[in-house]
C-alpha cells in the first residue's frame, strides 16, 4: 500500500501559495494550509480542497518564528501522519530606491524572506520523510536588476543560496530541494501599487508577452514535488516565460 503523501505550504491563503496548495491537493496530497494573518482566506482554501475531495487543515504561523513553524509541522504529523513535501511560498515585498528605503522595512523584509525561509527549511530538513521534496520561492527579478528592487532581490538571493546548499546537505536521504523563481505574475502582491502602464510594460517583457498566472507557477512546483520531478535536485528553475 502506498503511503499517503502530505504537504505543508506556507503563504497558502492567497496568490501563488493558494494555487500551489490547491494544485498539490488535486494531485492527491493532503495539505496543511499555512497562513500568517488571514484566517478567513485560509479557511476558504481548505474548504475548496475539501469540496474537491481532498483533505486539508489550516495552520497559522509566522514563518520567522521557529516555535510557530514547529507547531505547524506538529499539526501535519498529528493530523496526517507525517510530512513529505514542504513549499515555502510566504514572502514580503518592499520597493524603494536603495537610498530611500526605510531600514525598518528592510529588517521586516529580510525577517520574512530570509529568516523565514531558513526556519521553514530547517524544520523540513529535520522532519521530512525520506523521498520527500522541498521547494522554495525566489524571484526572476534577481536577473533583471530592476531599480527599487534592491532589498527584495537581495532577500531572494539569500533564498537561492540557502536552498541550493541544503540540497547538498541532504545527501543520502532521497530528498529533492529546489527553488522556483517566478517572473512577473498576476497576484495581489505583484499588482499592488503599479499603474496600468507599468503592468502592461512588464507583461510584454517575456517572449510569450503576458504575465504569468499563479497556476503557471503552481504546476511547476507540483512537478518538482511529484514523481516526475525526482531527478531534478539542487536547481534554480526560472518560471518566467522566457525573460532573460
Amino acid at each position: 500500500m502506498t503511503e499517503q503523501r502530505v504537504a505543508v505550504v506556507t503563504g497558502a491563503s492567497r496568490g501563488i501559495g493558494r494555487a500551489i496548495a490547491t494544485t498539490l491537493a488535486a494531485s492527491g496530497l493532503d495539505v496543511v494550509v499555512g497562513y500568517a494573518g488571514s484566517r478567513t482566506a485560509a479557511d476558504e482554501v481548505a474548504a475548496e480542497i475539501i469540496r474537491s475531495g481532498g483533505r486539508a487543515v489550516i495552520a497559522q504561523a509566522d514563518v520567522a518564528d521557529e516555535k510557530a513553524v514547529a507547531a505547524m509541522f506538529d499539526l501535519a504529523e498529528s493530523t496526517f501522519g507525517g510530512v513529505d513535501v514542504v513549499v515555502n511560498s510566504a514572502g514580503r515585498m518592499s520597493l524603494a530606491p536603495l537610498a530611500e528605503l526605510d531600514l525598518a522595512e528592510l529588517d521586516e523584509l529580510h525577517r520574512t524572506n530570509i529568516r523565514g525561509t531558513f526556519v521553514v527549511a530547517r524544520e523540513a530538513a529535520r522532519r521530512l520523510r525520506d523521498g520527500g521534496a522541498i521547494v522554495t520561492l525566489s524571484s526572476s527579478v534577481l536577473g533583471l536588476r530592476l531599480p527599487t528592487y534592491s532589498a527584495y532581490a537581495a532577500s531572494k538571493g539569500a533564498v537561492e543560496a540557502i536552498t541550493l546548499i541544503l540540497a547538498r546537505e541532504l545527501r543520502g536521504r532521497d530528498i529533492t530541494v529546489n527553488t522556483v523563481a517566478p517572473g512577473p505574475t498576476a497576484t495581489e502582491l505583484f499588482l499592488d501599487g503599479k499603474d496600468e502602464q507599468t503592468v502592461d510594460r512588464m507583461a510584454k517583457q517575456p517572449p510569450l508577452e503576458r504575465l504569468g498566472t499563479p497556476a503557471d507557477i503552481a504546476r511547476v512546483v507540483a512537478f518538482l514535488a511529484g514523481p516526475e520531478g525526482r531527478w531534478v535536485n539542487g536547481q534554480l528553475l526560472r518560471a518566467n516565460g522566457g525573460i532573460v
Side-chain angles (χ1 to χ4, degrees), residues 144-223:
L144 299 177
R145 302 177 184 88
L146 298 175
T148 75
Y149 279 82
S150 60
Y152 180 71
S155 73
K156 291 303 187 178
V159 169
E160 293 182 9
I162 291 166
T163 306
L164 302 184
I165 290 171
L166 180 59
R168 286 143 183 85
E169 292 179 345
L170 295 185
R171 174 182 293 273
R173 289 183 54 190
D174 190 28
I175 292 174
T176 63
V177 189
N178 295 286
T179 189
V180 174
T185 305
T187 65
E188 180 183 337
L189 182 67
F190 171 77
L191 296 172
D192 184 41
K194 294 182 176 70
D195 59 32
E196 186 176 347
Q197 183 178 11
T198 300
V199 172
D200 288 344
R201 176 176 53 79
M202 297 187 80
K204 289 183 172 65
Q205 284 182 307
L208 297 180
E209 295 190 332
R210 67 171 176 86
L211 294 177
T213 68
D216 289 327
I217 310 307
R219 285 190 286 265
V220 174
V221 172
F223 164 75

Side-chain angles (χ1 to χ4, degrees), residues 92-141:
R92 183 184 180 101
M93 181 185 289
S94 294
L95 303 181
L98 186 149
E100 299 173 15
L101 183 69
D102 187 310
L103 291 180
E105 278 292 309
L106 178 71
D107 291 342
E108 285 299 312
L109 178 75
H110 286 190
R111 183 179 184 276
T112 298
N113 293 0
I114 300 177
R115 180 185 168 94
T117 295
F118 194 96
V119 169
V120 172
R122 186 178 70 165
E123 204 66 32
R126 293 172 173 177
R127 304 255 203 146
L128 242 63
R129 294 187 282 213
D130 291 357
I134 299 170
V135 182
T136 63
L137 273 290
S138 178
S139 172
S140 287
V141 77

